[in-house]
Amino acid sequence: MFKDLDPILHSQLRLAVMSLLIGVKEAEFTFIREKTSATAGNLSVQVQKLKDAGYIDVTKQFKDNYPQTLCRITPKGVDAFEAYVKVLQEYIRK
Amino acid sequence: MEESFSPQDSLRLIQSMIVKTRSSISEDRFYFLLWGWVSFAAIVTQFILKAIIGYPRHYLVWLVVIPAVIVTIIHSSRRGGNRSVSTYIGSSMASLWTGIGISFFILSLIVSRLPNGWLDAWPFFILFYGLGTYISGRILQFRPLVIGGMINWALAIASIYVAYDYQLLLAAAAILTSYIIPGHLLKRAAN
């Protein structure tokens, strides 16, 4: 139905993740999970898909002996997000 | 889920997520009030010691800066440790005030080598207060800070024309308009 919409972004949870990351420098996995109210398993899968598409960077590191996963949007991700919003606006104007 | 996900739903979702990351401008209030009240108290005490009581080592009140620096470092490292997201606004504010802090330190070194020493210091300090406050106001989009910064610039000019004792009072006015009043207004804006 919405053919022109980027299928990677046109999914509720992946779009939520991208919308969170577009406004910040970087965010922890736990922050994204809290704001999207998603389960850790589902969120991991969607984050991996965004990473495979090159839309986000994921860094794993240790902080105070605890593993920490940091996500940040890439320039390619910003372009894709802007293109997606543009197409959305066209649909709504029709 | 994906089937019934309309463009309107998409836009609503994007909007709701962006609102969630908007950083609270009240985060920086603690520092404005801490430094505002510490500096204000130090300046007013120095004025009383120098102009009214006539105590020669009036400048010793500024040792109060040392505990204030320690409190700032502890508070910011605790806050940084708990933070699970870093925003551009947060890191801009941190860089700006770290830079101003370093500039104050270097300015102290420069001023101590000038022929008139500390007698010429206040216009420069007020100038830097103004700069930091003005840029903070622009970053946070909080008008009282922008106005405070501009008032400080005016006070910096005014302080060139008055004697040291009165420069202290102008500096107290600068702190009041750039840190203390906006700091309390930030609390109201946050509520």
Side-chain angles (χ1 to χ4, degrees):
Chain A
M1 181 182 172
F2 303 117
K3 266 183 259 163
D4 304 333
L5 286 169
D6 184 345
I8 297 170
L9 292 180
H10 198 63
S11 130
Q12 209 151 339
L13 186 50
R14 288 197 295 270
L15 183 61
V17 172
M18 291 292 282
S19 308
L20 283 175
L21 292 179
I22 195 100
V24 302
K25 210 170 155 187
E26 59 185 9
E28 268 183 48
F29 186 84
T30 47
F31 172 86
I32 301 172
R33 202 183 65 197
E34 182 193 317
K35 296 295 177 189
T36 55
S37 319
T39 63
N42 189 14
L43 184 59
S44 296
V45 172
Q46 304 311 328
V47 161
Q48 188 59 44
K49 282 186 186 168
L50 289 170
K51 191 189 164 196
D52 291 343
Y55 289 0
I56 63 172
D57 271 336
V58 179
T59 355
K60 287 181 199 243
Q61 59 183 50
F62 279 89
K63 195 174 85 177
D64 304 330
N65 289 326
Y66 286 96
Q68 186 192 35
T69 305
L70 286 170
C71 305
R72 63 161 73 200
I73 200 162
T74 62
K76 188 182 172 190
V78 174
D79 290 345
F81 187 82
E82 283 173 356
Y84 178 82
V85 170
K86 206 174 242 176
V87 177
L88 274 187
Q89 285 168 335
E90 276 161 25
Y91 270 115
I92 285 168
R93 238 177 263 136
K94 271 177 197 170
Chain B
M1 169 178 96
E2 314 298 329
E3 288 302 311
S4 58
F5 190 44
S6 73
Q8 282 84 355
D9 292 335
S10 289
L11 279 184
R12 261 194 296 275
L13 176 68
I14 292 169
Q15 204 172 10
S16 72
M17 288 295 140
I18 287 175
V19 166
K20 285 183 183 179
T21 58
R22 192 170 291 166
S23 71
S24 149
I25 57 170
S26 65
E27 277 176 19
D28 299 292
R29 195 174 67 89
F30 173 80
Y31 303 105
F32 277 100
L33 289 181
L34 170 74
W35 281 97
W37 283 113
V38 165
S39 330
F40 186 78
I43 293 171
V44 170
T45 310
Q46 192 185 8
F47 177 78
I48 293 169
L49 289 178
K50 185 174 185 298
I52 300 174
I53 300 175
Y55 178 65
R57 302 175 82 182
H58 51 83
Y59 48 84
L60 287 179
V61 294
W62 286 100
L63 290 175
V64 75
V65 164
I66 297 168
V69 167
I70 294 170
V71 170
T72 300
I73 291 171
I74 292 172
H75 189 267
S76 61
S77 66
R78 267 197 202 149
R79 201 178 78 166
N82 294 332
R83 197 164 38 193
S84 57
V85 62
S86 87
T87 62
Y88 287 103
I89 288 182
S91 56
S92 308
M93 286 291 286
S95 307
L96 171 66
W97 286 101
T98 307
I100 297 265
I102 294 168
S103 301
F104 274 149
F105 178 71
I106 295 173
L107 185 59
S108 307
L109 297 179
I110 296 171
V111 159
S112 64
R113 305 283 295 177
L114 290 179
N116 285 332
W118 289 92
L119 292 179
D120 287 335
W122 279 112
F124 298 106
F125 278 97
I126 299 173
L127 182 67
F128 272 104
Y129 290 146
L131 180 66
T133 308
Y134 175 82
I135 298 177
S136 296
R138 289 291 181 204
I139 294 174
L140 298 173
Q141 299 188 335
F142 189 62
R143 192 195 283 267
L145 283 171
V146 174
I147 296 169
M150 291 171 171
I151 292 174
N152 276 14
W153 284 331
L155 289 170
I157 297 170
S159 67
I160 305 167
Y161 300 101
V162 300
Y164 184 84
D165 290 0
Y166 296 102
Q167 285 183 353
L168 283 174
L169 293 181
L170 291 181
I175 298 288
L176 199 64
T177 51
S178 64
Y179 290 53
I180 297 175
I181 295 173
H184 285 286
L185 290 175
L186 271 174
K187 185 181 184 183
R188 196 182 297 169
N191 292 339

